[in-house]
Amino acid sequence: MLKRVGKKHGVTSSVVAMRWVLQQPGVAAVVVGQRNALHLADTRRVFSFQLDEVDALDIDAAYEGAAQPAGDVYSWERGGTW
């Protein structure tokens, strides 16, 4: 899903994921884990487009259908199940 939306907007799926998070109500920032400075130009493209309603609904549907961690957000780091 993210790859298809990324192709539509000319960005990578990770940039689509960041854009989706930023477009959620009450979200002002995302924490990005860059491996090196070569990824910076790609990451900055998050500000070059907006997800339209169809994009957002498709991503929302994929997110809702995906496996979610059980328990608090740190439980999987302690060996919790998905």
Side-chain angles (χ1 to χ4, degrees):
M1 176 58 53
L2 296 177
K3 190 173 185 176
R4 182 177 59 81
V5 174
K7 191 172 208 170
K8 172 182 170 181
H9 293 285
V11 297
T12 62
S13 45
S14 61
V15 172
V16 171
M18 286 186 283
R19 180 80 252 165
W20 179 81
V21 170
L22 286 170
Q23 287 187 210
Q24 300 307 301
V27 174
V30 293
V31 176
V32 179
Q34 301 266 169
R35 287 181 291 179
N36 61 53
L38 297 174
H39 299 134
L40 183 58
D42 186 49
T43 300
R44 291 173 59 177
R45 300 203 59 216
V46 73
F47 302 111
S48 69
F49 70 104
Q50 291 279 325
L51 297 173
D52 60 31
E53 187 175 349
V54 173
D55 296 335
L57 289 172
D58 287 346
I59 295 169
D60 288 345
Y63 177 74
E64 291 299 321
Q68 302 292 323
D72 64 55
V73 297
Y74 303 106
S75 64
W76 67 273
E77 292 179 338
R78 296 187 300 264
T81 59
W82 280 83

